[in-house]
DNA sequence: GATGAATGAGTCTTCATTCAT
DNA sequence: CATGAATGAAGACTCATTCAT
């Protein structure tokens, strides 16, 4: 029994890995099930034991990839936590960390960006995803609540806005150098993110 | 002679129109050349006399659609020009106008968003595009220059940023109501756009 | 020991029942072994312990279904035996009984008709079939022999002819209402069956 | 233009012929589109220019085959018309002619029988079918009307009944020799057909 | 006996592109 | 210029059957 389960995991991993590599290098539309199973070294029918279709494996891969990015950023933040005492700086750190990662791994950016919806993203980072040990959304909300400085209105809309701004501007600057290279965009982006956060701060009157 | 040219134009228009309708209602991947020529009432081979392939007609259509949106917004702004004397308000007006348009015509949003790159966008709105009478980019730069209030650093990056933020947040809120409906996002979006503009203002010291 | 045998019988019955239900509702071609074992709650390999393939279980089911129909008709006839003293009326009664049954259970008609050959049919109703308690063919031949009125030439051909006529005309009228609804066909059918019987009567000259 | 039309006809005929041969020898289920186009010597896509799917070509072939049989019988009847002055004898002649044909061409019988519904049959032989020159149903109805001897009630139900009886009994006797060979069945069948006709005769009282 | 994961040949169907007319 | 018939590679998906556990 243990052997069978082990074997299943090996097959599943092989399918994930080969699909990821092919999606990254050739794009999703240009990747066929045939290509995936070939590279994974399993039979075509086996694919359908694990996935409904190509879009099923795509969604699971994107969620997984997004999760990994955020978990890396989270861990890096924990290490240097003391350097970023302010909430605002923590957010900037995480965004920077992820964008730098994507800048060095451009294909991942291309893969994720065009396919990641907020719904999928939220699911990938939250409790719904049982395979997760760390739940980024939980962490985010705790970070918001424990924020001693200020109170935030609609923190989830704020996160959404930051992510959309960061991902869409970085997509164009990193992949196409349009309208300017990523490095040139970066200082502006950081300023904008800080501005977005400020726009969500609830002014507390005495 | 003129009749032949006229006939060619009719065919071209028919192809554009039928492709647009099909792309909008069924999506690009689900639309075949066969569908396009069928609806246009021309022969399959004729398609290749006017376009390289499906992605050629797609790009031309997207550019055309984006242009039309901006020209409409531009004309609307001209009409009510006096109501928006400040540069900042003009920008907000244009963004609002376009997003409201896309909100009532959701399929256009879907069609444009996933396929519009900054490069394509810039080309659609600038002098490069010979079929254009009004060049939005020219208008934008004149608007920036004549801005009596303040001076802007990198106005093109600023425009890029605003467009990316507006389009990516509206895509999710308008089409998926995620994380909130568009109407709920709108006030935040306006605040953020103003903040982005402020971040680009060059403080002038005496 | 008995428990193992019992368990086997349960599995066999479950397979029969689920295959029957699926054949009836989706048709044989549209039913896969996967569907059958799924519904039956047994493993795929188990199917092959009991049946050679899909057509094995189909044939056994058809024979069983046909047998059940005739046994029901036979029992009903026994109950009301005195109402139908004449041989001819007994035949008509049985045909009517079965067709009315199929008329209320149209899917059974569809299932049986296209797959029931005379050979399979004969086997289902005769001594060859060891699981049968009542052997309709025996009963039929006794009925023929004891027929006090007249003698019949080739009673088996006669039965064959009646069954073919009744089943093929009822198939079309019951399932397609073609060329007329079953109810409209019924009086003609009865007349024809009587005529077929008369054609088999050996005229006895003194 | 003429050349293109000619070429199309050649392709269509090739597809019909190869499908017919394969259906006849291997059965419909065991014949794939691949087999059909291969044998016809055309590309796979070409099949879909002419037919919706396998069942489209099947239905057209069955209708065509049934039509051909009846037209042959009709022509044979015309030749020997004087030998069969009575309506009843004409019907018997046609049935015999067709069954003898099917007896020498057993695969055609197998092909037609399991797939021919009354609806399809009627369509194949009537005005609906524009490719037909001779409309058997017209001929039949004229034959019924001009019948000087007697009047018939529901002549279409009568035809239906005769065809169902003849086809179903011949199917089993010709292909399986069950319960007896066709030759042994034949005299009974003729008697039964006459009886069916008599059952449809309207008794005219003076 | 029972299981169910794995197989991979087999099937249908689509479609961009070409080219003879 | 315009046509549209023909192509055939490419794709997704199914399923009876086997066999290690």
């Amino acid at each position: 029994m243990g052997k069978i389960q082990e074997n299943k995991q090996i097959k599943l991993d092989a399918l994930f890995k080969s699909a990821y590599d092919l999606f990254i290098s050739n794009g999703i539309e240009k990747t066929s099930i045939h290509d995936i199973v070939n590279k994974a070294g399993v039979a075509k029918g086996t694919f359908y034991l694990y996935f409904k279709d190509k879009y099923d494996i795509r969604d699971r891969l994107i969620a997984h990839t997004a999760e990994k990015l955020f978990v890396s950023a989270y861990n890096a933040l924990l290490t240097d936590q003391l350097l970023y005492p302010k909430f605002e700086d923590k957010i900037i750190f995480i965004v920077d960390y992820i964008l730098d990662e994507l800048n060095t791994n451009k294909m991942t950016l291309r893969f994720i960006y065009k396919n990641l919806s907020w719904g999928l993203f939220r699911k990938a980072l939250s409790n719904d995803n049982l395979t997760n040990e760390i739940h980024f959304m939980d962490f985010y909300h705790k970070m918001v609540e424990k924020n001693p400085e200020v109170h935030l209105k609609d923190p989830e809309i704020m996160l959404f806005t930051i992510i959309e701004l960061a991902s869409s501007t970085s997509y164009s600057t990193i992949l196409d150098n349009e309208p300017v290279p990523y490095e040139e965009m970066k200082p502006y982006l950081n300023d904008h993110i800080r501005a977005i956060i400020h726009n969500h701060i609830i002014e507390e009157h005495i």
Side-chain angles (χ1 to χ4, degrees), chain A residues 37-204:
Chain A
V37 295
N38 238 29
K39 199 175 159 77
V42 302
K44 205 178 272 186
T46 307
F47 179 89
Y48 292 94
L49 294 176
Y50 293 94
F51 305 101
K52 208 186 132 289
D53 54 25
K54 196 165 69 177
Y55 301 100
D56 184 16
I57 195 171
R58 176 198 66 180
D59 285 353
R60 291 213 239 161
L61 270 175
I62 287 172
H64 182 69
T65 306
E67 188 208 325
K68 259 193 358 200
L69 276 172
F70 276 81
V71 168
S72 297
Y74 166 80
N75 287 329
L77 178 63
L78 285 192
T79 309
D80 297 338
Q81 206 161 13
L82 299 176
L83 296 175
Y84 309 99
K86 290 177 67 186
F87 172 77
E88 200 176 310
D89 295 333
K90 286 196 178 83
I91 296 291
I92 296 284
F93 174 87
I94 288 172
V95 171
D96 273 6
Y97 184 95
I98 290 173
L99 293 188
D100 288 349
E101 194 86 46
L102 293 173
N103 191 30
T104 61
N105 201 339
K106 294 179 170 55
M107 298 321 265
T108 304
L109 173 57
R110 173 159 281 135
F111 172 57
I112 280 190
Y113 180 63
K114 289 281 176 186
N115 299 292
L116 187 56
S117 67
W118 175 256
L120 187 56
F121 174 82
R122 220 201 163 291
K123 206 182 134 206
L125 300 190
S126 69
N127 279 325
D128 306 4
N129 194 340
L130 296 174
T131 63
N132 264 5
E133 289 126 62
I134 304 157
H135 303 302
F136 183 82
M137 290 306 286
D138 283 2
F139 163 69
Y140 173 71
H141 282 295
K142 263 179 208 144
M143 200 163 70
V144 168
E145 283 160 26
K146 286 181 184 163
N147 185 0
E149 315 143 39
V150 285
H151 290 291
L152 292 175
K153 216 170 90 186
D154 292 327
E156 195 149 326
I157 296 181
M158 190 185 94
L159 181 63
F160 163 73
T161 310
I162 292 169
I163 286 172
E164 288 296 332
L165 177 65
S167 60
S168 62
T169 55
S170 64
Y171 182 79
S172 183
T173 54
I174 289 176
L175 294 180
D176 301 331
N177 284 323
E178 286 275 0
V180 290
Y182 169 60
E183 291 305 331
E184 209 168 313
M185 186 71 214
K186 214 167 157 179
Y188 282 119
L189 183 56
N190 282 353
D191 286 352
H192 297 332
I193 291 172
R194 286 182 199 276
I196 289 169
I197 295 173
H198 290 162
N199 281 341
H200 275 265
I201 288 177
I202 300 167
E203 299 293 342
E204 307 209 353

